[in-house]
Amino acid sequence: MSNPSQISPAKDAQMRVEIDRSLRHPVMFFFTSGAAWLAVSLVLGIIASAKTHSPTFLGECGIFQYGRSFPAHINTLIYGWGAQAGFGVMIWLMARFARQPSKNAGTILTAGHIWNLCVLIGTIGILAGHGTGKHWMQFPTFVWPVMLAAYAVIAVWSIVAFRCRKNNHVYISQWYLLGAIIWFPWVFLTANLYVNVFDVHPLMAAAINGWFRHALIFLFFTPIAIASAYYISAKVSGRAIYNYSYSIGGFWALAIVAPWAGMQTMMGSPIPVFLQYVGAAATMLVGVPLLAAGVNILKTASGQQETVAYSPSLRFSIAGVFGMLLLAFASLILAHPSAMRFTQFTIAGYGYDVLAIYGFFSMCMFGAIYFIVPRITRREWLSRRLIRTHFWFSIYGVLFIFLFCTLLGGFQQGAAQENYTQPWIQAVANTFPFTVGMTVAWCFVLYANFFFFVHLALMWLRLGRRSSHPTLLRREHSALGPHGPEGDIEELESAKA
Amino acid sequence: MTFKSFLIGMCLSFGMAWMFVIAIPTAKMNNLSPVKMNNEEDAPYYQHKRSGRVLNGAEIYASNGCYACHTQLIRPTYAGRQIWRDDMAGVVDSDGNDSRRETTYFDYAGEKYAQIGLMRMGPDLSNVAYRIEKYAAATNLSAEQWLMEHLYNPRNNKLRVGEGGELMNMDWSNCQAQHQMFKKSPVVGQGNVLALREKTEDGEEIVPKEDALVLASYLMSLRRDDVVPASMNNAPVESAEDAE
């Protein structure tokens, strides 16, 4: 996405360094605390998953029983990791696109701490037995207004930066990010007001909760991940986006289709029937904008297999794009009304969320983090091996969860439930291998992300390599070592000049 | 595309869905008109009855995550077939009385949030009060006593009686024990009526706390077997002959 700008390259580079420096602390804070929450979430996920096949695991104490560890796991995944990774990428990209250093890093950092405090209080609340029982909204109800206020303080500066941008061209990533920034409070406020504040019919409250989950995936996590994948694929491959008008079309297709999705989770309940079918149709149709963005991104990076293989950021982003295409496929299968009779009340729904949040969104965020962190810390990643471990364990873990546990397991479980002539023990027995598989897969993903967190924390402490050579996932060795000459970047650069 | 046209597009695309999926259906569902029992002119209006500590019981149900594994929804046959599962949607007694029916929008009355549920790791609870009473009668316990034993230890092998009167093995159950709802207490007089049958090693009894009592009251209110208006009654049809 190189832009023919009027200013000289040297000035432009200096501008980029200034932007990176201005946002170093908030962005690193979001990434590192997000990674820490991801590790916490995965530990809770392992506990929850283990509880489904071995209910006496960890003794039978109340705190970690499935009904508490599972919501704690999901909510830390969404608000602790997902939202914070999204914030970090969002504010950095918006500042870079607007070509303006941030003047509000301190404010954003403070709001970030408040957000973290909310997640912490909410998680303790759930584990202590004060969860609300509304999926993805289980934090005790006094937390959400504070979270929304913290969000406003974090996000408003990105809109300001956009309005005061120094170049007229608007990149596709900017529209996606702007969309996410506006959709999040709209969705979050609507859902919380209707479910927690207004006195609505209990069934509509549950339906709006289903809508909220899908809106959060499709209107917050998805646009941020797509924006980041567009940016990384263009930037690392050094090409313009394959087709700009096509990408704009993809954005509006998402904007038009996605807000209708979600109420198919209520299939068969006594709410107006059109809501159930509109939700199913919209969820299936979301495949169209996902496909549009996916093809566009893959076309941008096509023919550059070496770059995709060597660059950690591009490799993760492209893996995320494949996750997105898999999500489009999963939406088509799992939201289809004739499949829902089997999958509606099975582990398939959980696996779908995991695919969306981890297989798609998180992979794109990892790609962005591997790109952004060396720029804002002015240090390079320490170890190719850690990055490679992170990549492969994540890929195998999430693919195993989705393909084996969710698709196969969900239908196995559902078929046993539908077979009403067999006793209930059949449904439990059919699910058993898949829940065990889920536990194993989460262990893989935790292994990957534990090292990711350590790596990231070291980078924040500025213990990264002092080198002008990025850490690439190359295998061959040169005389200068795997990463080129070591030393202080400034010294190396002046030696070259 | 300018920022202004972008905002207009956002408002239209999101606002329309918001209106037709959230605002209007919610308003409509808040103003449901009462339903007559049948088409006759002087037919009475349907009155949904539910007793028990529904509201705070639902809170205990929610905060301990029962909804993660148990559903409360008997789907119509286009969406699922659990209406035919034994004792799940109601019962057919020996006289041929059939109380099986789908869930209606009255069934969540008294709750703030309909706990449809996420996964069926465990069976549906729409009519769990029925099953509790049945199991309790077979084991010579009151329904509350049976429920306390079950909440404390779902893998208790002395609680289920099979068709031939034999005790059933429940080791396979993956239900979570709710020990936090119970406490140890010294035996006073004849002991607590709802104390578990098994005493602790030092002779104390295990008695339910308030949470367990409230939850039990809520679970005992889950009995969706009343006669609903003809317009809502979609009881299953046994055979094509009955349908005619």
Side-chain angles (χ1 to χ4, degrees):
Chain A
M1 250 189 283
S2 58
N3 181 42
S5 57
Q6 274 73 41
I7 36 176
S8 69
K11 255 195 167 165
D12 201 50
Q14 198 187 350
M15 163 80 75
R16 288 203 300 268
V17 170
E18 273 172 29
I19 295 170
D20 293 346
R21 185 168 296 164
S22 73
L23 278 171
R24 175 188 297 161
H25 288 294
V27 170
M28 280 314 284
F29 175 75
F30 282 132
F31 288 164
T32 319
S33 59
W37 276 117
L38 179 59
V40 171
S41 166
L42 292 170
V43 170
L44 288 165
I46 292 170
I47 294 174
S49 182
K51 285 276 194 183
T52 56
H53 52 79
S54 316
T56 49
F57 178 66
L58 288 183
E60 296 188 313
C61 63
I63 291 180
F64 290 119
Q65 59 144 314
Y66 184 72
R68 295 188 192 174
S69 56
F70 177 70
H73 151 66
I74 282 286
N75 282 273
T76 46
L77 186 67
I78 303 293
Y79 302 106
W81 155 248
Q84 293 209 84
F87 294 158
V89 170
M90 186 172 85
I91 57 176
W92 185 83
L93 277 180
M94 288 301 269
R96 271 288 194 105
F97 283 132
R99 301 189 163 274
Q100 278 187 347
S102 170
K103 297 182 196 75
N104 311 89
T107 322
I108 295 176
L109 192 60
T110 314
H113 278 90
I114 293 172
W115 181 277
N116 265 278
L117 197 67
C118 289
V119 177
L120 181 68
I121 292 172
T123 309
I124 293 173
I126 292 173
L127 291 176
H130 300 285
T132 63
K134 297 152 190 168
H135 201 34
W136 289 34
M137 303 162 82
Q138 279 108 337
F139 287 162
T141 37
F142 60 85
V143 169
W144 73 264
V146 189
M147 286 174 90
L148 192 62
Y151 169 81
V153 175
I154 292 165
V156 71
W157 311 111
S158 294
I159 299 181
V160 172
F162 179 81
R163 296 292 286 153
C164 311
R165 64 188 182 277
K166 291 219 176 108
N167 54 340
N168 269 328
H169 183 73
V170 181
Y171 300 104
I172 180 61
S173 298
Q174 275 171 292
W175 291 127
Y176 270 109
L177 289 171
L178 214 51
I181 291 172
I182 296 170
W183 278 319
F184 180 81
W186 211 339
V187 168
F188 193 76
L189 190 66
T190 300
N192 277 293
L193 281 182
Y194 273 98
V195 175
N196 289 326
V197 180
F198 298 160
D199 190 21
V200 305
H201 191 283
L203 275 161
M204 272 321 280
I208 290 169
N209 174 268
W211 172 84
F212 168 72
R213 270 140 52 196
H214 285 75
L216 212 56
I217 290 179
F218 292 136
L219 297 176
F220 182 66
F221 292 128
T222 297
I224 290 181
I226 291 179
S228 142
Y230 265 126
Y231 178 79
I232 300 284
S233 64
K235 197 84 178 175
V236 177
S237 69
R239 291 193 192 163
I241 294 292
Y242 175 67
N243 187 331
Y244 186 77
S245 49
Y246 193 43
S247 66
I248 287 282
F251 173 80
W252 285 114
L254 184 73
I256 290 167
V257 171
W260 299 83
M263 292 202 183
Q264 78 279 8
T265 52
M266 302 290 286
M267 188 65 77
S269 71
I271 61 168
V273 176
F274 84 93
L275 290 177
Q276 306 164 18
Y277 282 93
V278 158
T283 309
M284 291 163 75
L285 275 176
V286 162
V288 174
L290 297 189
L291 205 63
V295 168
N296 216 344
I297 294 165
L298 292 180
K299 272 285 191 185
T300 306
S302 71
Q304 305 212 3
Q305 281 90 342
E306 285 212 337
T307 323
V308 174
Y310 291 159
S311 157
S313 31
L314 193 56
R315 192 199 271 196
F316 270 97
S317 298
I318 295 297
V321 170
F322 278 109
M324 174 165 78
L325 297 177
L326 201 56
L327 183 71
F329 167 74
S331 308
L332 207 58
I333 291 197
L334 296 179
H336 193 285
S338 52
M340 292 230 30
R341 63 157 47 206
F342 295 105
T343 58
Q344 186 177 6
F345 292 126
T346 65
I347 48 176
Y350 172 54
Y352 181 83
D353 295 348
V354 170
L355 176 67
I357 301 297
Y358 198 88
F360 162 37
F361 172 76
S362 299
M363 293 305 271
C364 289
M365 289 302 103
F366 294 139
I369 289 172
Y370 281 117
F371 186 86
I372 295 170
V373 170
R375 282 162 179 76
I376 54 180
T377 58
R378 306 264 287 151
R379 298 285 184 276
E380 289 299 333
W381 293 98
L382 283 165
S383 158
R384 295 178 298 173
R385 183 168 290 166
L386 284 179
I387 300 177
R388 221 180 270 134
T389 308
H390 183 204
F391 182 78
W392 288 114
F393 275 78
S394 294
I395 289 285
Y396 279 116
V398 76
L399 276 184
F400 188 74
I401 288 179
F402 178 69
L403 293 177
F404 178 72
C405 305
T406 301
L407 268 192
L408 189 57
F411 279 99
Q412 284 280 323
Q413 187 183 9
Q417 290 172 0
E418 282 290 273
N419 190 354
Y420 55 89
T421 54
Q422 293 296 312
W424 189 259
I425 185 172
Q426 272 304 324
V428 177
N430 270 22
T431 324
F432 181 79
F434 304 105
T435 50
V436 174
M438 191 86 89
T439 313
V440 175
W442 275 134
C443 290
F444 272 58
V445 178
L446 176 68
Y447 179 80
N449 282 291
F450 173 72
F451 289 108
F452 171 65
F453 170 67
V454 172
H455 207 176
L456 194 59
L458 289 173
M459 290 292 280
W460 195 15
L461 298 170
R462 306 202 78 200
L463 293 172
R465 285 187 308 111
R466 294 158 156 265
S467 163
S468 56
H469 288 254
T471 306
L472 297 177
L473 306 172
R474 234 186 268 272
R475 281 189 188 278
E476 71 265 26
H477 290 273
S478 73
L480 294 164
H483 306 297
E486 299 278 327
D488 195 68
I489 305 168
E490 285 81 7
E491 278 171 32
L492 286 167
E493 270 166 7
S494 58
K496 238 188 276 170
Chain B
M1 187 161 53
T2 62
F3 188 58
K4 201 171 158 191
S5 57
F6 175 78
L7 278 187
I8 293 172
M10 292 280 288
C11 287
L12 281 179
S13 60
F14 189 87
M16 191 143 87
W18 187 87
M19 205 61 152
F20 288 114
V21 173
I22 310 281
I24 296 177
T26 308
K28 288 267 181 200
M29 287 285 278
N30 270 6
N31 291 301
L32 294 167
S33 37
V35 186
K36 280 192 166 181
M37 288 305 282
N38 52 48
N39 283 335
E40 285 161 30
E41 220 166 86
D42 54 348
Y45 283 103
Y46 172 59
Q47 293 274 332
H48 182 77
K49 294 184 200 73
R50 188 171 180 187
S51 56
R53 299 174 69 174
V54 174
L55 191 58
N56 44 8
E59 271 168 27
I60 305 291
Y61 186 90
S63 62
N64 287 291
C66 306
Y67 62 91
C69 296
H70 292 286
T71 55
Q72 287 184 29
L73 178 66
I74 303 299
R75 297 178 289 180
T77 46
Y78 72 81
R81 296 194 268 189
Q82 63 271 26
I83 199 160
W84 287 294
R85 204 173 254 289
D86 274 349
D87 299 344
M88 196 72 83
V91 285
V92 190
D93 65 15
S94 46
D95 302 335
N97 295 324
D98 189 349
S99 71
R100 291 177 298 174
R101 65 165 173 85
E102 296 157 11
T103 304
T104 73
Y105 54 72
F106 294 106
D107 285 333
Y108 305 94
E111 295 184 54
K112 283 196 185 300
Y113 184 88
Q115 290 294 0
I116 295 293
L118 300 178
M119 305 176 222
R120 283 188 173 143
M121 289 294 182
D124 188 273
L125 298 184
S126 294
N127 283 292
V128 71
Y130 250 132
R131 303 200 289 276
I132 294 170
E133 278 171 359
K134 195 173 104 181
Y135 301 144
T139 47
N140 292 322
L141 291 168
S142 74
E144 278 77 18
Q145 275 176 326
W146 188 91
L147 199 45
M148 292 309 146
E149 299 273 353
H150 177 76
L151 287 175
Y152 189 80
N153 181 12
R155 280 162 294 285
N156 189 332
N157 284 329
K158 293 175 187 161
L159 288 182
R160 296 281 179 92
V161 178
E163 276 173 23
E166 77 286 357
L167 283 175
M168 283 164 73
N169 186 329
M170 294 304 293
D171 288 339
W172 53 271
S173 167
N174 54 2
C175 191
Q176 309 288 304
Q178 304 294 334
H179 287 192
Q180 77 278 6
M181 294 183 189
F182 294 84
K183 62 183 178 201
K184 285 178 196 164
S185 138
V187 185
V188 181
Q190 300 205 332
N192 190 319
V193 183
L194 291 177
L196 303 188
R197 283 180 293 184
E198 268 183 46
K199 304 264 184 291
T200 61
E201 279 164 12
D202 24 316
E204 293 189 320
E205 57 183 10
I206 299 168
V207 295
K209 293 193 214 166
E210 184 68 13
D211 279 6
L213 300 176
V214 173
L215 181 63
S217 173
Y218 173 77
L219 292 174
M220 292 309 291
S221 79
L222 290 172
R223 182 200 308 268
R224 294 165 181 174
D225 60 344
D226 55 338
V227 179
V228 293
S231 59
M232 299 168 94
N233 192 355
N234 298 305
V237 173
E238 284 306 310
S239 65
E241 224 171 304
D242 297 342
E244 289 154 14

